[in-house]
Amino acid sequence: MSEDLWTPHAPSDPEVSVPGGRQEEGELAAGSVTLIIPTFNEAGNIGELLSRLAGSLPARLPCAVLFVDDSTDETPAVIEKAALELPFPVSVLHRERPAGGLGGAVVEGLKRADTDWIVVMDADLQHPPHLVPELVGEGERTGADLVVASRYLPGGSRAGLAGNFRVAVSRGATWLAKGLFPRALRGISDPMSGFFAMRRPLVTADALKPLGYKILLELAVRCRPAKVAEVPFVFQDRYAGESKSGAREGLRFLTHLAALRSATPLARMVGFGLIGLSGFVPNLFALWLLTHAGVHYLPAEIAANQAGVLWNFVLIETLLFRDRRRHRHWGDRVGRFALLANADLLLRIPLIALFVARLGMGVLPATALALVTTFVLRFAATEALVYLPRRTRTDRGGSGS
């Protein structure tokens, strides 16, 4: 991934407190605050955003701003020009490949931040800059690890959401997330918020696997902060440009929810079983098409089974093992998955015969037990043989030194 990181000179105004004087790339003073702002074509908002930040951040709060930029427009150049007159250092990390969307941009920022506090906010001014000191102050007062700016507390509002449809979608997404993760999101009234402050030790960037722009949800579920605080805020109208939300981001959000919910082995096994059940639909539909086309039922059944296998593979890749797909080439994964799925048929019949002949079971309970046995074996084999990383020579026998 090609990246470009620059940091303009900090101004020499003696009345401005800049931590540690002039900053080198990626170097921020301990005890200060890093504002991580992901951007994608936000050139029209940058000047106003930095101006409001300059008017909102007190000198006693040492602060630096890091933009992580995925833009295809002139946003980096606009940031560079606007930053020259500011009383705090501003850096830009431009990513040529926007892996993980805006959530991935925040993770890239986390890897470079070395401060006590990190504040994440959007660049479109829907998150009011004057609340940055209040978020950090609330964390210091309460000892919280995570402080969320919430639209759903008294004094807060989602007024900046454009139209009833977006309001309904936002509220529905909140209910869905809190329903799926009641323990992890306890104390967070607005898990869809993109405006929050956190203590840097709370998170290791490598533990996060974001997809899309809901990085707070990812952070709360995977890192489980010990104490959470909230402050109300009024979600503002976008200052300039167009919203990046849409149907594609909605699908990414649902995929992200499924990946988070299936993070444990037991949850993955349950998901594996539900996906397997759903595979009967394309299987039976393909069987109906083939037999009505005059194909003999035996080869039709074999061919129709492959439709179910393909269906299951696509859903399992998307919902259960999205973060493990890079370990093997897609053709290798397809081949291994299909082999295991079809071997299930070959193994089931001998198991049924064994249970009936040796254990004296009836045909129906023997069939049910064989189904459960082959399901568990197929899940374990799929995880181990298709989606776990290949063992390296070092894994097998050490480094050889």
Side-chain angles (χ1 to χ4, degrees), residues 9 27 111 133 158 167 176 311 326-327 339 347-348:
H9 293 265
E27 181 183 351
K111 293 177 180 178
R158 53 178 182 266
V167 170
L176 180 59
W311 171 274
R326 296 180 182 179
H327 301 320
L339 181 63
L347 179 60
R348 199 181 307 155

Side-chain angles (χ1 to χ4, degrees), residues 220-270:
V221 172
R222 294 197 190 275
C223 299
R224 302 296 176 101
K227 186 172 183 179
V228 176
E230 292 187 307
V231 298
F233 89 106
V234 177
F235 193 66
Q236 305 291 314
D237 292 328
R238 169 177 269 275
Y239 182 76
E242 297 180 355
S243 171
K244 311 305 187 295
S245 299
R248 182 178 180 183
E249 283 299 331
L251 290 174
R252 294 177 82 177
F253 169 68
L254 294 175
T255 302
H256 190 200
L257 281 180
L260 287 172
R261 186 65 276 174
S262 61
T264 65
L266 178 59
R268 283 196 299 275
M269 181 178 289
V270 172

Side-chain angles (χ1 to χ4, degrees), residues 150-161:
S150 173
R151 297 164 291 183
Y152 302 121
L153 291 179
S157 169
R158 53 178 182 266
L161 284 174

Side-chain angles (χ1 to χ4, degrees), residues 174-194:
T174 298
W175 288 338
L176 180 59
K178 289 181 72 67
L180 288 174
F181 305 100
R183 294 179 62 187
L185 299 181
R186 184 183 297 123
I188 301 178
S189 62
D190 192 0
M192 300 298 103
S193 176

Side-chain angles (χ1 to χ4, degrees), residues 117 134-148 197 199 226-231:
W117 283 95
E134 185 173 341
L135 289 171
V136 176
E138 184 70 11
E140 292 289 353
R141 284 191 297 272
T142 62
D145 300 305
L146 175 67
V147 184
V148 178
R199 296 183 189 270
K227 186 172 183 179
V228 176
E230 292 187 307
V231 298

